[in-house]
Amino acid sequence: MKEILKALINVFLKMPQGFVVTLKHVFKKPVTLDYPREKKPMAPRYRGRHYLERYEDGTERCVCCGLCAAACPADAIYMEPEETPNGERKAKVYEINLLRCIFCGFCEEACPEEAIFLGQEYEFSDFNRDSFIWRKEDMLVPHPRKDNPFKRIIRRVRRVYGVPDAAR
Amino acid sequence: MSTSTTTQPAVKMVTLTINDQSVTVPKGTTVLQAALGAGIHIPTFCWHPKLKSVGACRICYVEIEKMPKLQVSCATEATDGMVVKTESDIVKRGRKAVLEFILANHPLDCPTCDKGGECDLQNLTFAHGLDDSRFDFLKRRHIVPGVPSTFDDLRIGPEIMLNRNRCILCYKCVRSNKEAFGEYDIGAFERGNAMEINAAPGEQVANPFSGNLVEICPVGALTNSDWRYKIRVWLTQTTPSIDIFNSSGSNILFYKEDHKNRIFRTISRRNDEIDDGWITDVARYGYQLVHSPDRLQKPLMKKGSKQVPVEWEEAVAFVARRLAEIDDTKGCVCIGGLASPTLDLDSLHSFSKFMRKVIGTNNLDFRIDYRSLPEKPDSAFSTLSSQPFTIAEIDTSDVIFVFGSDLVKEHPNEYLRIRKARNFGRPLVYSVNSFNVKSADVADREFIYAPGTEEVFINGLCLAAIEENPGLSGADGLKRKISPADLNSAAKTCGVSAEDLKALARTLINGKKISFIVGDQVSLSRDREVIAAALCNLNRLVGITSRGQMAALARYADSIGAEKLGLIPNPHPDVKRALTDLWGGFPEMAGYHTEGMFSQMLKGELDAMVILGANPVAMYPDHEAVAETFEKLDFLVVADLFETETTAMADVVLPLASWTEFAGRYVNLEGRIQKAERAIKPLYESKPAYAILADIAAAARKPLFSSAREREEEIEKVLACTTVRPWPGDYLDVRPPAIDKDPAYPIMLIIGDDPHHRCYVTEKAASLVKFCSDAYIELSPELAEKFKVEDGDAVRVESKYGKLMAPVKVSRVLEGDVVFLPRNFSVTRANSLVSRKARIDWVRINKVSG
Amino acid sequence: MTFYSPVITNAAEVAGSDKLHLFRYVEDANQTKIETYESHGGYGTWRKVLTTKKPDDVIAEVKASGLRGRGGAGFPTGMKWGFIPKDSPKPRYLVCNADESEPGTCKDRVIMERDPHAMIEGMAIAAYAIGCHLMFVYIRGEFGHCIETVDKALQEAYAKGHLGKNVYGSGYDLDMIVHSGGGAYICGEETALLNSLEGEKGMSRIRPPFPAIEGLYACPTIVNNVETLTTVRHIMERGAQWYRTMGTEKSPGSKIFSVSGHVKRPGNYEVELGFSLKKLIYDPQYGNGILGDKKLKGVIPGGASTPFLTPDQINVGLDFESMTSVGSMLGSGAVIVFHEDTCIVWAILKLIHFFRHESCGKCTPCREGTGWLEQIIRRIEHGGGKPGDIEKIEDICGNILGRTICPLGDAAVMPIQSAVKHWRDEWQYHIDHGKCLVPTRFEFV
């Protein structure tokens, strides 16, 4: 008898209490995101997928020095340099294996030309493993880009040579 | 003649203290060398162990007690009781200051600099430098006019790029070029702050040793264009190897990438006994032929009239079957073999065993480009060429006699040695040739004898020696055996005055330590037996070898190895005995040497040939006749790296692995056994020669060796035999043969290697082709004037045996009626002009108009 | 026609003195002719030495005279000659260093263009002393007229048999070659001079070996200044005892001082060593006071490469020891005077520009350091100086001083160091305000 009474109290008293909690949350701001329709803004220094910067005139910043590959603890970067017709050095092949990459950002740190950055993007999924190898063309920012957040990056190399930016 | 052994005066030793460590060194040693010898590191930029100190960079400061200022250790001689500190505060401050000065105008372009990772400046800045620069002005920049680049790279030679911004002006390139190589195509221009290194006006830095300038550059100012922007140095592995283009066997290092089967560059691996750290451009860029797209990729077999690619098994089985057939039907006498003297010991011994044991013939040889040989068991030339010779002995010789050799082309390392001997001592150097050679610039005097009078010249030298010192033993006996037997007529015939001959003889008699080098003009001469006999007489009379060394130097990387392994029909008796013991038998037949095999082939009495890594059609004298001879063969199997004139005639062509693709041992001209490690895996389907021979032998069911160890043991046993032949016990007859000369062909033709090429393979190396891409007729300015030709004009060269056309190059060294033609280019085969019978090749030239 | 540069000298005083000797005949326009020179007893000393004395006697005499090199370093000449190895089979050479290019110095030029035979005679005696049969005179490239004059004098000397094969029948051969330099200051340094003479780039060599052991063409070589060699002639004429009556104990003899800058009477004056610097500047017979009767600011006493002296230091004797005691050097004896209206930064900029331009570029500190210093000082002069620049200059100077192959590095930084030390406030004002504390106002003579 006592058990039956307890059950009835539970049903008619405690359950509505629970519903009230639920109901309250219906009107509260949700803590989850409606991913993938909605995306969480990442921290400014989040280390997501890599991209390769360009100079303002569109030439690649990367000179294929190999320091990112040397710094990479996961050995995810492969590169082959080549000589441009006017004797400058640039990457012929620049590949990052995103499956190996641990997004430590050492490549960004190591880069003397301020060419490689880890961006905000974090969605990596695909149907075959080959598509995780990102080539240089996949990572280079488009040119001309609409807004360049790195305009004020110190042009170290140019300063070394004393080349005005307009000369490029 | 007394055999006085020169006793070196005892070297005085001094004891000094470096960083509380007591160091004892010979007097005259610098503080820097004393410290380095004691394992104390002192940083340097401008110092090089093989060059004189200049003290320009000032990084090697040390503090020496009782001296008020910091001293540069590279130019301070160690004295007794000196107290040196290399790590005191004031020294460290001095170093930092110098690094700051150097870095003030050094661009921060390490990311794009090929030296990054192996740069002395980078390393020293890391170890000793400041963290930051106080230099806040624009850096000095040498802009290359007309190039829209921020890199300011200037091409100053076929393979050398110069970036003057990076240069720290240590002058090592200029100094080594001048001191070590005797070349003046790079120099320092302007003054002070504006000073720059550059190629001499109107010149290209293209001397045969130019690659060394890049190697010793402490920063990235001079870089190789073959290594330019290819790979970072920390991604490479190194493999020690040997230069096989040169009989000295300079020690080299190959750089290959970790993951790739590709060599990226060669640098020297300093061996003071052989190369002093200087290697030729051929050694440096020769590796590129390994990666040539023209490499043979698969075995080829002649089916119908065409050679088609087949699998190894098929080719090997076919070769084994055919050789067995010929052996059965005509006998093993009808099979012959030629092996290149640039193959390793394993391959050469396998070849010897394959020919002698598996086939049972004695027709084998390694002399692939000699003129006809009179084959006598104890010929004078064999004696001369088997004599021991030590490269390092040149350093301490006081008389150096170079007879019949253009050292730059034939023995570049010895050339550099003589130059070094001249820089650090005062030897008397004589160069004697039938034409002017480049290497005579190290000589105190150059003598030119009339073409084809080598033995007369040597006879004249003997006669002059007798006249100088009538007490020489056996003078009368000698006079009876030689003709002409009086000095004046010998002098007249050979064209060198009696006074000069006497002066030469005097230095040979009085020299305390003599190095007598006999070169290709003797080794390749038809009458080398006669010349060698004359040289034996000279040695017997004057006693050169009792006070030094005298030898006809080996010509290829493994010539001595081939000789020692008995790769000639009639090897040294000791070697023959050893081989008989090992194999339980030795072919009874006498066997034919190269020339003999060719004449047998022509007669149709030799039907099959096995050729390993050689191209006799292009290299052996008389192109037409050799080609005709090879057409008569029933069966020809050739293993080589590339398709050549010889492989074109072959029934089976087998792809041979290059020396970089397997570990091999080579015997250099001193008899030193050196190992070249395997740098890369064999490319395509190529195989080393010993593996090919083992395969064929296995297919014939007569396996060569049960294991690699057995092969090595056999080689060791054979090499243990000495092949040095004793000098003849008496004076030899020297009667100069007549020299036929047709007035229609008035000009002497010299055939040899271009300084940037060796044999027939190096034209596949891209960098070497940049130095010299095509054959040329090098002629003296007098001839150029006579025929009214300039650089680049085409001329036709005709001999009795053939003719060809090539562009002219007006020589800086040749004089008189002499032309030089390189033999390295497949388009223009120099051997088509040459006869096997003639002693000297006479040609005529005429200008091709239009 | 001999070029005759209008230089003020104290020839009249010298002619009247029984001690001073170098300038005795320099005002005589005919002195370059050998007849005139011989009429004054010219070449008599050479004849006397060659016919009566042994080489060792000559060296001993010069040693006894205490003659010190007049080129700048003040090394005892006799001792230098004694360093020639006695048993060397190699030929020996004498080179006369006439590459006078130190800013402010123009004493050798006067000797060469007005009394060339005295130099040749002195060289001949020195050559005999060291056993040399071929001597060179390396004349600065810009001194075209000197080369002509010396060459002409040389022809005359040959014609009269003072030089050539078998001089005076003594069996002694002596030849001389006049060599024109290419116009590099560094070639006044003896090893660079030898390099230049050999046809190499004019860059100093590392020592040891010293030229006396291994010099020109790796043979024992003595390099002496024009004035030194000319003095040798006079010492051999009148004896070491006479020479010692002049000058001080350790710096005997007389010396030519070239007074230039802000003085009323710039010129070359031969005075005894130990002569007062103040007197040289202010005495009417010599400098005759400061231009415009302004106040003295500073003096460089020995050519551009020596430290400055301030007005309170100039009451000092002009000899090697006294100069060292006040922190400067006698150098080549070029007294450069600055009056109060000189901006010291401006003056130093001129100096460092010269040294930067003349640095040979062989060793790092001098090549890079002088360029860097010039850039900093130019920045200060043009009003772009930054705080800390003075310390930077001092530090760079310290890193160059004593760290170079040849003394050019030291020469470049010593005046800067002393200028910064003496007039630091002026440098500071320049950096703080971007302009001169004392605007430079000049009127040159």
Side-chain angles (χ1 to χ4, degrees):
Chain A
M1 190 62 205
K2 219 172 181 180
E3 274 81 36
I4 296 168
L5 203 69
K6 246 182 189 167
L8 283 175
I9 290 169
N10 271 347
V11 169
F12 290 104
L13 227 75
K14 297 277 172 74
M15 263 176 67
Q17 272 182 4
F19 286 137
V20 167
V21 172
T22 312
L23 216 65
K24 265 189 197 163
H25 278 265
V26 167
F27 298 104
K28 271 190 179 167
K29 206 178 165 211
V31 293
T32 55
L33 287 175
D34 187 9
Y35 185 82
R37 257 169 294 171
E38 212 179 302
K39 283 176 187 166
K40 186 173 181 257
M42 305 310 290
R45 290 167 74 176
Y46 178 78
R47 299 193 296 261
R49 209 192 68 208
H50 317 69
Y51 64 94
L52 290 170
E53 260 299 333
R54 289 182 191 269
Y55 282 102
E56 272 156 28
D57 65 349
T59 43
E60 298 157 23
R61 276 186 161 269
C62 176
V63 295
C64 205
C65 69
L67 287 184
C68 48
C72 184
D75 207 2
I77 306 179
Y78 173 78
M79 56 175 60
E80 272 178 33
E82 70 170 1
E83 190 176 351
T84 63
N86 58 11
E88 300 186 5
R89 182 184 172 117
K90 85 182 222 298
K92 182 165 75 181
V93 178
Y94 190 100
E95 291 174 353
I96 296 185
N97 186 340
L98 291 182
L99 291 177
R100 300 196 70 150
C101 178
I102 58 167
F103 301 96
C104 61
F106 280 10
C107 47
E108 197 178 351
E109 294 276 323
C111 185
E113 302 284 326
E114 286 159 19
I116 191 165
F117 290 94
L118 269 64
Q120 304 276 315
E121 201 185 324
Y122 48 85
E123 294 163 311
F124 315 106
S125 54
D126 216 316
F127 296 98
N128 61 63
R129 303 180 74 90
D130 282 354
S131 52
F132 284 96
I133 294 175
W134 279 59
R135 293 166 303 136
K136 186 178 82 171
E137 296 73 38
D138 304 326
M139 288 185 285
L140 271 171
V141 294
H143 175 76
R145 59 188 291 167
K146 279 172 191 127
D147 97 81
N148 188 341
F150 291 94
K151 263 183 184 165
R152 279 175 295 170
I153 288 175
I154 304 158
R155 308 295 194 229
R156 270 212 294 179
V157 180
R158 292 184 192 178
R159 201 185 58 190
V160 165
Y161 281 116
V163 190
D165 281 9
R168 276 192 162 262
Chain B
M1 193 72 228
S2 66
T3 57
S4 61
T5 48
T6 53
T7 45
Q8 294 283 328
V11 184
K12 215 177 147 226
M13 303 299 277
V14 293
T15 304
L16 67 162
T17 315
I18 307 177
N19 292 356
D20 305 329
Q21 189 178 335
S22 179
V23 183
T24 305
V25 290
K27 197 173 179 329
T29 314
T30 60
V31 173
L32 177 70
Q33 279 167 317
L36 293 180
I40 297 164
H41 176 72
I42 296 176
T44 56
F45 285 122
C46 71
W47 178 78
H48 189 278
K50 301 293 168 191
L51 300 175
K52 290 174 187 160
S53 296
V54 292
C57 73
R58 319 301 284 181
I59 191 85
C60 63
Y61 284 135
V62 290
E63 187 186 352
I64 298 174
E65 260 179 31
K66 292 181 194 140
M67 292 205 190
K69 300 174 186 173
L70 289 177
Q71 298 292 318
V72 281
S73 56
C74 70
T76 311
E77 196 181 312
T79 53
D80 235 344
M82 204 179 231
V83 180
V84 181
K85 287 184 198 141
T86 70
E87 293 299 329
S88 65
D89 281 347
I90 177 166
V91 172
K92 283 182 181 166
R93 276 206 303 279
R95 258 179 221 163
K96 271 198 172 56
V98 170
L99 277 169
E100 189 181 23
F101 282 135
I102 290 176
L103 289 172
N105 279 309
H106 187 86
L108 273 175
D109 60 352
C110 303
T112 59
C113 176
D114 270 327
K115 196 79 176 183
E118 52 174 1
C119 174
D120 289 358
L121 182 57
Q122 231 178 15
N123 295 343
L124 291 183
T125 307
F126 211 71
H128 307 286
L130 294 161
D131 303 334
D132 205 358
S133 174
R134 295 184 294 165
F135 184 80
D136 45 7
F137 300 91
L138 289 183
K139 299 204 178 211
R140 181 177 58 226
R141 197 178 155 198
H142 297 274
I143 298 171
V144 182
V147 179
S149 160
T150 53
F151 285 92
D152 305 337
D153 284 1
L154 186 68
R155 184 176 288 280
I156 56 167
E159 274 299 321
I160 300 185
M161 306 291 290
L162 167 70
N163 186 320
R164 290 164 291 174
N165 300 345
R166 294 179 193 146
C167 180
I168 61 166
L169 293 167
C170 68
Y171 310 105
K172 264 202 276 195
C173 49
V174 182
R175 281 154 54 211
S176 64
N177 215 29
K178 197 170 105 184
E179 277 179 37
F181 317 140
E183 300 281 349
Y184 294 85
D185 43 16
I186 193 167
F189 299 88
E190 300 297 327
R191 186 170 70 193
N193 217 269
M195 186 177 270
E196 63 180 60
I197 300 292
N198 211 330
E203 295 267 331
Q204 286 232 310
V205 183
N207 64 63
F209 309 100
S210 63
N212 292 308
L213 309 185
V214 176
E215 196 180 311
I216 62 171
C217 183
V219 290
L222 291 170
T223 45
N224 263 350
S225 53
D226 81 320
W227 164 260
R228 185 170 167 84
Y229 301 165
K230 289 269 167 61
I231 187 173
R232 303 309 295 205
V233 70
W234 57 82
L235 297 174
T236 55
Q237 293 169 337
T238 57
T239 314
S241 188
I242 301 295
D243 165 27
I244 65 142
F245 297 106
N246 186 339
S247 55
S248 310
S250 336
N251 293 193
I252 53 177
L253 268 185
F254 287 128
Y255 278 66
K256 77 167 279 264
E257 197 189 345
D258 296 352
H259 313 294
K260 284 186 186 163
N261 202 28
R262 186 178 175 82
I263 299 173
F264 280 91
R265 70 162 172 187
T266 311
I267 67 164
S268 73
R269 179 162 56 96
R270 196 178 116 205
N271 185 339
D272 286 351
E273 314 231 303
I274 298 174
D275 52 35
D276 267 345
W278 311 121
I279 60 172
T280 58
D281 282 359
V282 182
R284 190 175 299 274
Y285 305 118
Y287 76 90
Q288 291 176 356
L289 67 90
V290 174
H291 297 293
S292 160
D294 300 342
R295 279 286 292 272
L296 281 168
Q297 307 196 352
K298 273 174 93 77
L300 303 173
M301 245 168 80
K302 202 178 247 175
K303 291 188 175 166
S305 62
K306 267 181 75 180
Q307 290 176 337
V308 291
V310 293
E311 293 303 319
W312 265 105
E313 291 74 18
E314 190 185 345
V316 164
F318 180 71
V319 172
R321 200 178 69 236
R322 284 289 287 141
L323 287 176
E325 272 172 27
I326 293 168
D327 195 358
D328 289 346
T329 53
K330 300 186 176 164
C332 58
V333 203
C334 295
I335 303 176
L338 281 177
S340 159
T342 54
L343 293 173
D344 64 309
L345 287 178
D346 288 327
S347 301
L348 290 176
H349 185 65
S350 298
F351 179 71
S352 161
K353 193 167 183 184
F354 179 81
M355 294 308 289
R356 286 183 170 136
K357 193 86 192 300
V358 177
I359 295 177
T361 178
N362 222 354
N363 299 334
L364 77 172
D365 210 331
F366 71 93
R367 292 162 297 189
I368 47 172
D369 56 354
Y370 287 25
R371 282 168 210 259
S372 54
L373 320 150
E375 189 72 9
K376 277 190 283 176
D378 50 351
S379 75
F381 185 72
S382 319
T383 307
L384 195 62
S385 60
S386 70
Q387 291 305 312
F389 190 87
T390 314
I391 299 171
E393 291 283 299
I394 294 175
D395 289 357
T396 49
S397 299
D398 67 341
V399 175
I400 300 168
F401 203 100
V402 183
F403 184 59
S405 176
D406 189 352
L407 287 175
V408 177
K409 290 167 181 161
E410 295 164 22
H411 301 288
N413 290 101
E414 287 70 11
Y415 170 70
L416 298 187
R417 278 281 168 175
I418 297 176
R419 191 163 273 290
K420 177 185 167 195
R422 279 191 59 118
N423 278 346
F424 290 95
R426 287 301 302 166
L428 285 165
V429 184
Y430 296 106
S431 170
V432 186
N433 275 294
S434 60
F435 58 98
N436 296 75
V437 294
K438 161 80 177 68
S439 62
D441 60 4
V442 284
D444 292 279
R445 277 199 70 183
E446 182 181 17
F447 297 97
I448 307 293
Y449 53 78
T453 57
E454 282 90 352
E455 63 277 11
V456 182
F457 176 83
I458 297 294
N459 284 349
L461 213 49
C462 295
L463 294 166
I466 294 169
E467 214 153 284
E468 280 295 314
N469 185 356
L472 291 171
S473 67
D476 291 341
L478 175 66
K479 273 190 176 173
R480 275 197 301 278
K481 295 219 170 187
I482 60 176
S483 71
D486 82 299
L487 178 57
N488 286 330
S489 64
K492 205 176 155 211
T493 314
C494 71
V496 179
S497 76
E499 283 70 43
D500 287 344
L501 285 172
K502 275 195 217 165
L504 273 175
R506 209 160 37 235
T507 48
L508 282 181
I509 293 171
N510 297 334
K512 294 194 175 57
K513 187 168 176 187
I514 304 170
S515 283
F516 198 110
I517 295 171
V518 180
D520 278 5
Q521 282 170 59
V522 176
S523 303
L524 297 188
S525 170
R526 180 195 67 187
D527 298 324
R528 67 174 152 283
E529 272 309 317
V530 185
I531 307 167
L535 285 164
C536 290
N537 289 350
L538 178 69
N539 181 45
R540 187 176 170 76
L541 183 74
V542 184
I544 292 168
T545 44
S546 62
R547 287 169 291 140
Q549 49 185 358
M550 173 180 189
L553 298 189
R555 304 185 55 238
Y556 290 105
D558 214 4
S559 294
I560 298 283
E563 186 92 40
K564 286 192 155 197
L565 290 173
L567 249 78
I568 40 176
N570 195 353
H572 193 276
D574 288 2
V575 175
K576 195 167 173 178
R577 204 172 305 120
L579 290 175
T580 317
D581 290 349
L582 282 171
W583 300 337
F586 196 82
E588 295 291 316
M589 58 179 287
Y592 292 103
H593 54 80
T594 316
E595 176 67 24
M597 281 190 264
F598 286 169
S599 52
Q600 289 296 103
M601 277 150 75
L602 207 56
K603 280 188 251 168
E605 291 179 8
L606 200 135
D607 297 306
M609 277 293 267
V610 182
I611 296 182
L612 290 185
N615 184 6
V617 178
M619 290 290 118
Y620 205 75
D622 205 346
H623 183 83
E624 306 265 305
V626 178
E628 200 180 302
T629 311
F630 272 80
E631 268 162 21
K632 299 209 168 190
L633 280 175
D634 269 0
F635 182 63
L636 174 63
V637 50
V638 183
D640 208 331
L641 272 75
F642 303 101
E643 288 193 53
T644 63
E645 288 90 334
T646 312
T647 63
M649 297 180 176
D651 297 279
V652 180
V653 182
L654 303 171
L656 194 65
S658 70
W659 82 109
T660 59
E661 291 157 346
F662 60 91
R665 290 176 301 163
Y666 301 85
V667 185
N668 83 344
L669 59 83
E670 303 169 291
R672 185 192 300 269
I673 303 171
Q674 304 190 101
K675 192 168 183 187
E677 297 289 349
R678 176 172 123 149
I680 52 174
K681 287 182 282 219
L683 289 168
Y684 313 116
E685 292 187 12
S686 60
K687 283 186 184 180
Y690 61 83
I692 296 174
L693 292 168
D695 285 355
I696 299 174
R701 296 183 201 290
K702 291 175 182 168
L704 272 184
F705 304 101
S706 58
S707 63
R709 174 173 284 267
E710 187 193 341
R711 186 176 66 214
E712 268 164 35
E713 278 169 2
E714 280 193 12
I715 293 173
E716 239 152 68
K717 276 190 188 133
V718 183
L719 287 183
C721 311
T722 171
T723 52
V724 178
R725 295 170 198 251
W727 292 98
D730 194 9
Y731 290 111
L732 302 173
D733 274 322
V734 181
R735 310 283 175 205
I739 296 165
D740 44 341
K741 189 173 175 183
D742 186 342
Y745 299 95
I747 299 165
M748 178 165 67
L749 171 73
I750 307 293
I751 286 186
D753 288 319
D754 180 83
H756 280 97
H757 288 277
R758 283 294 270 177
C759 265
Y760 64 99
V761 282
T762 51
E763 62 172 335
K764 306 286 185 191
S767 291
L768 295 175
V769 169
K770 281 195 212 162
F771 286 97
C772 179
S773 61
D774 200 358
Y776 52 84
I777 307 279
E778 186 177 345
L779 41 76
S780 56
E782 296 98 305
L783 277 182
E785 205 169 296
K786 190 173 157 196
F787 291 99
K788 305 221 164 20
V789 286
E790 284 171 12
D791 275 355
D793 288 354
V795 287
R796 185 182 293 114
V797 187
E798 272 178 81
S799 73
K800 278 183 196 167
Y801 312 94
K803 60 183 169 189
L804 52 80
M805 220 161 73
V808 164
K809 190 169 129 184
V810 180
S811 175
R812 291 184 188 182
V813 288
L814 290 182
E815 282 171 24
D817 286 349
V818 185
V819 294
F820 173 83
L821 180 62
R823 57 173 190 163
N824 314 90
F825 302 97
S826 55
V827 186
T828 315
R829 276 305 177 203
N831 67 337
S832 58
L833 295 177
V834 183
S835 151
R836 269 183 255 169
K837 300 282 180 319
R839 167 129 178 206
I840 293 158
D841 306 302
W842 299 103
V843 294
R844 63 176 173 220
I845 61 177
N846 39 41
K847 190 180 176 182
V848 181
S849 51
Chain C
M1 176 63 206
T2 318
F3 181 88
Y4 203 74
S5 61
V7 175
I8 300 172
T9 61
N10 62 340
E13 185 205 350
V14 174
S17 156
D18 60 340
K19 288 179 176 176
L20 301 177
H21 46 281
L22 288 166
F23 273 176
R24 180 149 302 182
Y25 301 112
V26 291
E27 296 292 356
D28 182 352
N30 289 324
Q31 180 69 4
T32 55
K33 296 202 177 82
I34 197 160
E35 292 78 16
T36 319
Y37 181 71
E38 281 179 341
S39 72
H40 296 144
Y43 290 111
T45 319
W46 168 222
R47 189 185 290 270
K48 186 181 83 191
V49 166
L50 186 58
T51 47
T52 61
K53 296 208 171 185
K54 287 204 185 88
D56 284 347
D57 299 342
V58 181
I59 296 182
E61 187 81 20
V62 173
K63 265 187 187 159
S65 76
L67 173 64
R68 296 175 68 168
R70 300 295 192 233
F75 194 81
T77 307
M79 199 197 273
K80 197 185 214 177
W81 293 0
F83 288 151
I84 290 266
K86 292 270 179 292
D87 50 353
S88 169
K90 294 174 179 174
R92 293 145 191 205
Y93 297 111
L94 174 76
V95 179
C96 174
N97 182 351
D99 190 77
E100 182 184 50
S101 27
E102 180 84 24
T105 316
C106 48
K107 62 186 176 65
D108 296 346
R109 169 179 152 173
V110 176
I111 296 175
M112 279 189 286
E113 70 191 23
R114 299 188 182 185
D115 202 0
H117 287 290
M119 178 186 82
I120 294 172
E121 189 174 0
M123 282 176 70
I125 294 166
Y128 176 68
I130 61 166
C132 138
H133 297 281
L134 179 59
M135 50 190 190
F136 297 85
V137 51
Y138 184 100
I139 306 180
R140 181 181 175 190
E142 287 90 335
F143 284 179
H145 51 282
C146 289
I147 296 165
E148 273 172 33
T149 314
V150 174
D151 216 22
K152 197 161 153 258
L154 183 63
Q155 302 308 330
E156 288 174 345
Y158 264 110
K160 291 267 183 176
H162 301 306
L163 296 173
K165 292 264 171 286
N166 193 11
V167 185
Y168 307 140
S170 65
Y172 194 81
D173 302 339
L174 185 59
D175 286 296
M176 177 169 158
I177 291 173
V178 179
H179 183 93
S180 159
Y185 170 67
I186 186 67
C187 291
E189 199 276 332
E190 58 179 3
T191 54
L193 184 149
L194 296 178
N195 259 0
S196 173
L197 201 54
E198 284 180 15
E200 304 261 321
K201 215 170 161 64
M203 282 179 166
S204 42
R205 298 177 189 168
I206 196 140
R207 279 168 289 190
F210 286 91
I213 313 294
E214 217 173 271
L216 191 63
Y217 308 114
C219 299
T221 305
I222 291 294
V223 184
N224 275 136
N225 181 260
V226 174
E227 192 186 345
T228 320
L229 290 170
T230 313
T231 309
V232 167
R233 174 213 179 271
H234 296 291
I235 291 172
M236 293 316 293
E237 187 182 15
R238 303 210 219 166
Q241 282 316 313
W242 159 79
Y243 197 70
R244 280 220 172 256
T245 59
M246 291 187 290
T248 64
E249 172 62 32
K250 284 187 176 164
S251 312
S254 68
K255 168 146 183 43
I256 306 169
F257 288 91
S258 311
V259 183
S260 64
H262 300 146
V263 286
K264 288 181 184 157
R265 197 165 170 271
N268 282 312
Y269 306 111
E270 184 192 352
V271 292
E272 288 184 29
L273 283 168
F275 195 78
S276 162
L277 174 58
K278 191 166 188 174
K279 199 174 170 200
L280 191 69
I281 296 171
Y282 286 103
D283 194 296
Q285 218 181 345
Y286 307 111
N288 195 18
I290 308 296
L291 208 59
D293 290 325
K294 289 184 183 162
K295 272 199 269 175
L296 181 69
K297 177 162 194 164
V299 180
I300 297 181
S305 51
T306 51
F308 278 89
L309 292 181
T310 50
D312 53 332
Q313 287 173 318
I314 62 163
N315 210 347
V316 67
L318 283 164
D319 60 85
F320 293 100
E321 287 70 34
S322 313
M323 277 304 176
T324 314
S325 70
V326 292
S328 189
M329 290 183 326
L330 190 65
S332 58
V335 179
I336 307 175
V337 180
F338 297 90
H339 67 39
E340 55 184 338
D341 282 352
T342 317
C343 173
I344 198 69
V345 181
W346 178 88
I348 289 294
L349 176 62
K350 294 288 155 201
L351 278 184
I352 190 65
H353 174 76
F354 171 80
F355 285 115
R356 197 272 295 152
H357 185 253
E358 294 296 346
S359 167
C360 80
K362 186 169 188 180
C363 58
T364 311
C366 173
R367 180 184 68 233
E368 302 292 346
T370 51
W372 191 359
L373 280 174
E374 193 201 352
Q375 279 176 295
I376 297 177
I377 294 169
R378 190 177 292 280
R379 174 165 84 185
I380 297 173
E381 168 67 15
H382 292 305
K386 292 179 182 171
D389 271 0
I390 298 180
E391 290 73 26
K392 211 189 264 184
I393 289 172
E394 283 178 327
D395 201 39
I396 296 170
C397 287
N399 286 339
I400 299 175
L401 189 71
R403 306 269 176 88
T404 50
I405 296 177
C406 75
L408 193 143
D410 302 351
V413 298
M414 278 191 299
I416 303 179
Q417 280 183 325
S418 67
V420 171
K421 196 175 95 191
H422 294 320
W423 296 284
R424 200 182 181 92
D425 51 337
E426 218 173 294
W427 289 84
Q428 194 60 49
Y429 185 90
H430 234 297
I431 292 170
D432 293 344
H433 298 84
K435 58 180 182 182
C436 307
L437 180 65
V438 242
T440 311
R441 288 191 300 273
F442 286 152
E443 52 289 351
F444 285 105
V445 184

